[in-house]
């Protein structure tokens, strides 16, 4: 509950306006009644007071209730009602307003909270039906005692008039007070609103002045008002229609007054049915238009938020058709790609790198077909000519102008630096891999790569019986060269020796440096032992030619041990056999080769074959 507070000057002015509105509308409604003890077709004052209370703090209610009671009572006195009679009817009106406003405030609380509007509709409807029944019983009793007549007739007439007034006028008053009249009647439509209401007045005056049954005609501008201006059109239109109908009927004009042999209360009942029918026709239209307006506004707000996010996003946001035609490009394209957004509209596949176009077209087709988002990385041409790597998240959305079809929207960001970093990391990885498998001095394969290649060669030997020849070489008297000429010359000799090895073996053979001056050559598809001997003789002859290192010519020779096998063998045995053959070549005087063959079933029994020394 709100704490009691003293009313400010502004609130006193607010109370004065309320008293004036209730007093004027109540007096007008009472004046339009057909006779003493009769009731009006629509009661407006209670709707005004109910909406007024719900838009104000509960702490100020006592002042507004007292003002409403005084205005209602004074209106009854001015129209000729006795003090007791007028006070009883005014009290009945206040009871009705308190039940409606009190029930809504207690159960719903803040009527301006959109989350509570469904609850508000249910509570407002229920409390209105109950309140009008309670006030109708009290008022019907007072009318019956004072003026006679049928209690049930008085009750039904009161009930109908007050339900319509509370629903229509109360709702309009609440919305107008909370949101402002300018929000209820759009500023751009106020002239149209006045024109529509004038048209309704003219048609209603004509219909109620005619003795012919043409009362359906005012429904047309009333429906137009509901369609064009929503609930404001319904509220004002129904009130105007009720006033014109009440005045005409009270003055004996129009189709309702021309009906013979019916009581005045029956004419009021017919007028209420006529007004109720207008409400039943127009309220659903007003509600539908309000919902349409709400949904349209939500869509407009959503589009505005989306456009704002897209326009100010660092990423490029693009909406396109499935064929690649761009319908929207965000302004960030200027910063990322150098193109103005308008320059990228339309079908411009030329902006995509030629190597990426087919892949992008397939990706877009997959997104449309599967309905699932997809992320792709591709290149887009910058306005200055270079290509920018873009990572785009693509997803399907319903087409805005082609029902049942799909468009594509994607958000792309510049990942050129990331791609460059990834490429650099991949290059570094490959370089590290190469260094891990390569001798840093000579550029030949190192021991690790040699072991891998030899294992593969032995595996092929076991599966496919491909023979293997392993040449084991070293440089004769290399230590003497290092000691005499220095390690720099020695390193130069190693590099030159390695190059001559590469130049005199086949591209499929592996040349490796195991360390120091030790080198190996794997010939893993040697059909005959003679092939290994041919390579050995060629190498010995090549190495005898002087090597020029740092301006010096040095003569270098080599000794070669060859292990040959066409039977399964392990790497250790094959290496031991080649090492033994190399030792034999050195024992034979160096600058020569020696070959040992490993035969099936005799892998540990080496057979030495004659080596040779070039002439």
């Amino acid at each position: 509950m709100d704490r009691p507070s003293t009313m400010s000057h502004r609130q006193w002015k607010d109370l004065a306006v309320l008293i004036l509105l209730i007093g004027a509308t109540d007096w007008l409604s009472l004046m339009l009644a057909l006779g003493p003890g009769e009731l009006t077709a629509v009661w407006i004052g209670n709707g005004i007071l109910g909406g007024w209370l719900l838009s104000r703090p509960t702490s100020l209610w006592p002042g507004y209730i007292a003002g409403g009671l005084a205005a209602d009572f004074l209106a009854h006195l001015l129209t000729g009602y006795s003090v007791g009679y007028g006070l009883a009817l005014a009290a009945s009106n206040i009871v009705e307003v308190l039940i409606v406003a009190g029930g809504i405030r207690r159960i719903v609380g803040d009527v301006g909270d959109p989350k509570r509007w469904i609850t508000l509709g249910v509570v407002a409807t229920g409390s209105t039906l109950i309140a009008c029944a309670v006030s109708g019983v009290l008022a019907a009793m007072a009318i019956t005692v004072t003026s006679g007549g049928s209690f049930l007739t008085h009750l039904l007439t009161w009930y109908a008039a007050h339900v319509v007034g509370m629903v229509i006028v109360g709702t309009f008053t609440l919305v107008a007070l909370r949101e402002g009249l300018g929000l209820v009647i759009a500023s751009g439509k106020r002239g149209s609103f006045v024109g529509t209401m004038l048209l309704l007045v003219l048609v209603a005056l004509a219909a109620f002045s005619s003795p012919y049954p043409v009362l359906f005609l005012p429904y047309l501008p009333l429906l137009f008002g509901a369609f064009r201006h929503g609930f404001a059109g319904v509220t004002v239109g129904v009130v105007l229609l009720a006033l014109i109908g009440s005045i005409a009927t009270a003055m004996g004009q129009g189709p309702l007054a021309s009906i013979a042999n019916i009581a005045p209360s029956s004419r009021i009942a017919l007028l209420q049915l006529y007004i109720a029918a207008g409400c039943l026709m127009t309220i659903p239209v007003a509600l539908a238009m309000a919902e349409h307006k709400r949904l349209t506004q939500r869509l407009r707000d959503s589009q505005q938020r989306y456009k704002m996010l897209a326009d100010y996003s660092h990423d490029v946001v693009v909406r396109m058709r499935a064929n690649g035609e761009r319908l929207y490009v965000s302004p960030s394209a200027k910063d990322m790609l150098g193109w103005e957004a308008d320059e990228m509209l339309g079908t411009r596949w030329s902006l995509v790198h030629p190597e990426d176009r087919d892949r992008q077209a397939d990706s877009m087709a997959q997104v449309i077909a599967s309905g699932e988002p997809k992320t792709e990385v591709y290149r887009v041409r910058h306005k200055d000519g270079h290509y920018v790597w873009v990572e785009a998240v693509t997803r399907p959305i319903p087409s805005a102008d082609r029902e049942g079809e799909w468009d594509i929207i994607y958000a792309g960001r510049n990942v050129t630096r990331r791609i460059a970093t990834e490429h650099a990391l991949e290059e570094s990885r490959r370089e590290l891999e190469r260094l891990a498998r390569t001798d840093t001095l000579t550029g030949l394969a190192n021991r690790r790569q040699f072991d891998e290649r030899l294992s593969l060669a032995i595996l092929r030997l076991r599966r496919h019986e491909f023979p293997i020849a392993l040449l084991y070489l070293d440089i004769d008297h290399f230590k003497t060269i290092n000691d005499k000429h220095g390690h720099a010359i020695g390193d130069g000799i190693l590099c030159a020796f390695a190059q001559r090895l590469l130049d005199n073996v086949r591209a499929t053979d592996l040349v490796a440096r195991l360390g120091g001056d030790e080198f190996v050559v794997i010939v893993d598809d040697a059909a005959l032992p003679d092939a290994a001997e041919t390579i050995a003789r060629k190498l010995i002859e090549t190495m005898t030619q002087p090597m020029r290192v740092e301006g010096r010519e040095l003569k270098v020779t080599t000794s070669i041990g060859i292990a040959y096998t066409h039977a399964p063998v392990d790497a250790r045995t094959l290496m031991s056999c080649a090492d033994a053959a190399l030792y034999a070549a050195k024992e034979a005087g160096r600058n020569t080769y020696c070959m040992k063959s490993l035969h099936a079933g005799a892998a540990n029994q080496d057979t030495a074959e004659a080596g040779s020394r070039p002439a």
Side-chain angles (χ1 to χ4, degrees), residues 299-375:
L299 177 60
R300 187 181 297 111
D301 292 343
S302 177
Q303 290 175 337
Q304 184 64 28
R305 286 193 298 269
Y306 163 77
K307 188 175 186 304
M308 182 175 64
L309 290 174
D311 286 350
Y312 291 95
S313 172
H314 181 70
D315 297 344
V316 174
V317 180
V318 178
R319 179 170 185 158
M320 64 172 60
R321 300 197 191 280
N323 62 1
E325 179 187 358
R326 297 182 184 88
L327 305 175
Y328 168 82
V329 179
S330 65
S332 54
K334 174 70 174 177
D335 297 330
M336 184 185 298
L337 300 170
W339 301 94
E340 296 291 346
D342 293 343
E343 294 178 306
M344 297 187 68
L345 297 178
T347 305
R348 296 194 61 185
W349 280 103
S350 60
L351 295 179
V352 180
H353 194 282
E355 297 177 2
D356 299 334
R357 290 173 191 169
D358 291 341
R359 181 163 53 85
Q360 273 303 104
D362 291 342
S363 176
M364 290 165 57
Q366 291 175 18
V367 168
I368 293 294
S370 66
E372 297 294 329
K374 192 176 181 64
T375 302

Side-chain angles (χ1 to χ4, degrees), residues 73-111:
F73 176 62
L74 182 60
H76 280 85
L77 292 181
L78 292 177
T79 52
Y81 285 72
S82 65
V83 173
Y85 189 20
L87 185 61
L89 295 182
S92 300
N93 286 327
I94 293 300
V95 169
E96 176 184 311
V97 172
L98 286 176
I99 293 175
V100 174
I104 293 175
R105 179 57 58 88
R106 185 175 184 82
I107 299 174
V108 179
D110 183 10
V111 295

Side-chain angles (χ1 to χ4, degrees), residues 574-597:
L574 190 62
M575 283 290 294
S576 297
C577 182
D579 184 59
L582 175 60
Y583 181 78
K586 289 180 183 248
E587 287 291 319
R590 300 180 189 275
N591 194 25
T592 187
Y593 72 90
C594 181
M595 184 169 70
K596 292 180 178 290
S597 297

Side-chain angles (χ1 to χ4, degrees), residues 288-306:
M289 294 307 300
E291 181 66 12
H292 177 268
K293 182 179 179 181
R294 185 183 68 83
L295 293 177
T296 302
Q297 186 61 41
R298 284 184 59 185
L299 177 60
R300 187 181 297 111
D301 292 343
S302 177
Q303 290 175 337
Q304 184 64 28
R305 286 193 298 269
Y306 163 77

Side-chain angles (χ1 to χ4, degrees), residues 304-563:
Q304 184 64 28
R305 286 193 298 269
Y306 163 77
K307 188 175 186 304
M308 182 175 64
L309 290 174
D311 286 350
Y312 291 95
S313 172
H314 181 70
D315 297 344
V316 174
V317 180
V318 178
R319 179 170 185 158
M320 64 172 60
R321 300 197 191 280
N323 62 1
E325 179 187 358
R326 297 182 184 88
L327 305 175
Y328 168 82
V329 179
S330 65
S332 54
K334 174 70 174 177
D335 297 330
M336 184 185 298
L337 300 170
W339 301 94
E340 296 291 346
D342 293 343
E343 294 178 306
M344 297 187 68
L345 297 178
T347 305
R348 296 194 61 185
W349 280 103
S350 60
L351 295 179
V352 180
H353 194 282
E355 297 177 2
D356 299 334
R357 290 173 191 169
D358 291 341
R359 181 163 53 85
Q360 273 303 104
D362 291 342
S363 176
M364 290 165 57
Q366 291 175 18
V367 168
I368 293 294
S370 66
E372 297 294 329
K374 192 176 181 64
T375 302
E376 289 286 347
V377 178
Y378 64 101
R379 288 160 287 183
V380 180
R381 181 163 55 86
H382 195 278
K383 192 171 185 178
D384 64 12
H386 72 275
Y387 282 92
V388 175
W389 283 96
V390 175
E391 181 182 66
V393 179
T394 309
R395 63 182 68 248
I397 58 172
S399 176
D401 55 355
R402 297 171 301 160
E403 186 175 355
E405 298 190 28
W406 292 84
D407 290 339
I408 292 174
I409 189 168
Y410 75 77
R413 61 181 55 189
N414 187 343
V415 293
T416 302
R417 290 185 179 178
R418 191 189 81 189
I419 297 298
T421 302
E422 290 175 354
H423 286 173
L425 289 174
E426 178 62 21
E427 184 63 28
S428 298
R429 186 194 65 78
R430 287 196 295 265
E431 179 63 17
L432 289 173
E433 180 68 16
R434 186 188 67 80
L435 292 174
R437 296 163 54 84
T438 304
D439 178 61
T440 56
L441 177 63
T442 63
L444 299 178
N446 62 8
R447 184 63 181 257
R448 176 183 175 185
Q449 188 176 169
F450 164 74
D451 290 340
E452 293 174 356
R453 182 71 172 268
L454 183 59
S455 298
L456 292 175
I458 292 174
L459 185 61
R460 285 195 294 270
L461 169 64
R462 291 174 179 172
R463 291 183 177 178
H464 307 294
E465 298 182 354
F466 290 155
I468 301 173
L470 179 63
L471 281 66
Y472 203 159
L473 309 88
D474 69 4
I475 299 174
D476 294 334
H477 306 295
F478 182 69
K479 185 176 184 302
T480 302
I481 296 174
N482 261 342
D483 293 342
K484 183 178 180 180
H485 300 286
H487 289 283
I489 296 296
D491 288 346
I493 292 295
L494 290 174
C495 292
F497 187 87
Q499 189 59 49
R500 290 188 182 186
L501 284 178
L502 290 173
D503 293 341
N504 289 276
V505 299
R506 300 170 305 173
T508 57
D509 299 332
L510 176 73
V511 181
R513 180 190 177 207
L514 301 184
D517 64 330
E518 296 180 355
F519 296 84
V520 289
V521 179
I522 299 176
V523 183
D524 61 352
D525 58 350
L528 296 171
D530 291 345
E533 289 190 274
T534 300
I535 294 173
R537 285 193 293 268
K538 185 177 180 181
L539 290 174
I540 290 174
E541 182 179 357
T542 299
M543 297 305 175
T544 58
Q545 299 175 9
M547 294 182 182
R548 190 169 184 84
V549 180
E550 294 189 5
R552 302 180 186 182
E553 286 191 356
L554 300 174
K555 186 175 181 179
V556 176
T557 62
T558 182
S559 298
I560 305 174
I562 306 173

Side-chain angles (χ1 to χ4, degrees), residues 43-86:
W43 188 255
I44 299 174
N46 288 3
I48 295 175
L49 181 57
W52 211 282
L53 292 178
L54 290 174
S55 63
R56 300 295 187 265
T58 309
S59 60
L60 300 178
W61 280 19
Y64 291 116
I65 293 171
L69 177 63
D72 190 12
F73 176 62
L74 182 60
H76 280 85
L77 292 181
L78 292 177
T79 52
Y81 285 72
S82 65
V83 173
Y85 189 20

Side-chain angles (χ1 to χ4, degrees), residues 261-282:
N261 301 322
I262 63 171
S265 59
S266 298
R267 291 191 176 91
I268 290 295
L270 290 175
L271 182 59
Q272 288 176 333
L273 289 175
Y274 175 73
I275 296 171
C279 293
L280 292 176
M281 285 190 299
T282 54

